[in-house]
């Protein structure tokens, strides 16, 4: 274990083409359970997740993990909103992250078959990934991220455009990963999903952390008028 938490953002800012996308953000996450990042479109959820994972560049400020940053990033995985699949079978997609780390073919494929079963794709091992449905692709992306046993998994809108059943399957996989000790930081538009999964909520507005709270506290008694309005489904800008 790398003991990467707590992670502290201090004056963290992402600027592109003269615009501030995120920040300045001052925030400490202690890694207790699942952190759900919510906020209107364009509020900076994806950018914040990418900054934490080192997939987007900080313009100013710092992000300090409890361990070496490189080590922290290596013990993490990221499931992007539109996962990129190899034009190969489900089994080969799952084995790929292990193969590039040098795991022998037989062992990598045995684990791939095991993970296919865990994410509900056991019957589709030989199907080319590009022809999978949206829900199946998302399960494959999750299996491919979890197969390397990350200590922290980032998920950007893991259930965008999925139906209820696929969403339930994905949430079950995430709940199991959490029970196995994987920390989760995810963004979602779905307040039902946020309520089901969150231990901590980070509410972003216009690139800034507007409210951060224990999930029960946030959903029962949000502090700010904007959070109340957002939870009611009103338009918040
Ligand atoms: N590389 C970039 N260059 C310029 N602007 C960017 C870049 N990446 C993101 N943005 C802008 O930064 C803002 C925040 O984007 P981000 O994707 O982080 O928000 P979000 O909360 O995840 O949005 P959504 O809910 O719509 O996915 C948006 O206005 C977006 O257009």
């Amino acid at each position: 274990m790398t003991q990467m938490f707590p992670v502290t953002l201090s004056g963290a800012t992402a600027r592109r083409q003269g615009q501030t996308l995120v920040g300045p953000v001052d925030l400490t996450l202690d890694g207790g359970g699942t952190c759900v990042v919510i906020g209107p479109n364009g509020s900076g959820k994806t950018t914040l997740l990418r900054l934490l994972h080192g997939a987007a560049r900080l313009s100013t400020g710092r992000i300090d993990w409890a361990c070496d940053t490189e080590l922290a990033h290596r013990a993490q995985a990221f499931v992007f909103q539109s996962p990129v699949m190899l034009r190969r079978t489900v089994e080969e997609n799952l084995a790929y992250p292990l193969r590039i780390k040098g795991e022998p073919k037989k062992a990598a494929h045995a684990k791939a078959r095991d993970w296919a079963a865990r994410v509900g794709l056991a019957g589709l091992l030989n199907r080319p990934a590009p022809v999978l449905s949206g829900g199946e692709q998302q399960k494959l992306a999750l299996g491919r991220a979890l197969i390397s046993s990350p200590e922290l998994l980032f998920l950007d809108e893991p259930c965008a455009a999925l139906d209820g059943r696929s969403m339930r399957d994905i949430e079950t996989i995430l709940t199991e990963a959490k029970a196995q000790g994987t920390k989760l930081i995810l963004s979602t538009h779905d307040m039902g999903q946020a309520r089901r999964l969150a231990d901590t909520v980070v509410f972003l507005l216009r690139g800034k952390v507007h409210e951060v709270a224990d999930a029960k506290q946030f959903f029962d008694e949000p502090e700010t008028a904007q959070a109340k309005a957002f939870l009611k489904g009103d338009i918040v800008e």
Side-chain angles (χ1 to χ4, degrees):
M1 290 287 281
T2 54
Q3 304 293 354
M4 64 176 85
F5 285 101
V7 57
T8 301
L9 297 91
S10 317
T13 305
R15 280 197 211 99
R16 305 287 182 268
Q17 290 135 15
Q19 298 255 30
T20 300
L21 314 188
V22 162
V25 170
D26 295 291
L27 173 71
T28 296
L29 298 174
D30 64 8
T34 298
C35 173
V36 175
V37 181
I38 61 173
N41 285 133
S43 57
K45 302 180 292 296
T46 302
T47 308
L48 180 66
L49 264 51
R50 290 169 65 93
L51 285 173
L52 282 164
H53 185 51
R57 182 176 42 83
L58 269 177
S59 304
T60 54
R62 307 174 51 89
I63 298 181
D64 293 300
W65 295 90
C67 65
D68 174 72
T69 301
E70 187 84 356
L71 276 182
H73 289 164
R74 256 191 270 146
Q76 300 169 0
F78 201 117
V79 175
F80 293 94
Q81 204 169 339
S82 310
V84 179
M85 297 296 155
L86 300 179
R87 305 184 68 78
R88 300 186 196 164
T89 65
V90 165
E91 183 172 328
E92 283 168 319
N93 267 275
L94 285 166
Y96 182 73
L98 302 176
R99 294 288 288 146
I100 55 172
K101 282 187 187 157
E103 190 144 341
K105 192 167 180 182
K106 212 170 156 190
H109 279 259
K111 276 192 198 158
R113 288 191 292 275
D114 176 41
W115 270 96
R118 292 202 215 182
V119 298
L121 298 177
L124 305 178
L125 282 172
N126 296 317
R127 190 163 296 179
V131 305
L132 296 177
S133 73
E136 291 161 351
Q137 290 207 10
Q138 200 59 349
K139 288 178 196 170
L140 178 55
L142 260 182
R144 206 174 49 177
L146 288 169
I147 202 166
S148 305
S149 309
E151 289 169 40
L152 169 61
L153 178 61
F154 293 98
L155 302 120
D156 189 16
E157 292 281 354
C159 298
L162 297 189
D163 63 21
R165 186 168 163 200
S166 297
M167 187 186 286
R168 196 183 55 204
D169 291 347
I170 301 267
E171 288 183 9
T172 302
I173 297 165
L174 293 179
T175 305
E176 280 167 12
K178 181 181 166 186
Q180 304 284 321
T182 305
K183 316 279 188 203
L184 305 171
I185 300 182
L186 65 111
S187 71
T188 184
H189 270 103
D190 189 298
M191 286 308 105
Q193 177 165 71
R195 282 173 196 268
R196 288 189 294 277
L197 297 180
D199 295 298
T200 304
V201 173
V202 174
F203 175 52
L204 289 184
L205 205 53
R206 295 185 293 273
K208 295 210 169 75
V209 174
H210 197 73
E211 205 164 320
V212 50
D214 168 76
K216 185 166 168 25
Q217 168 79 30
F218 181 82
F219 290 117
D220 289 353
E221 289 175 59
E223 273 183 14
T224 60
Q226 289 88 339
K228 281 188 189 120
F230 185 74
L231 286 176
K232 261 184 26 200
D234 291 349
I235 294 167
V236 179
E237 289 171 300

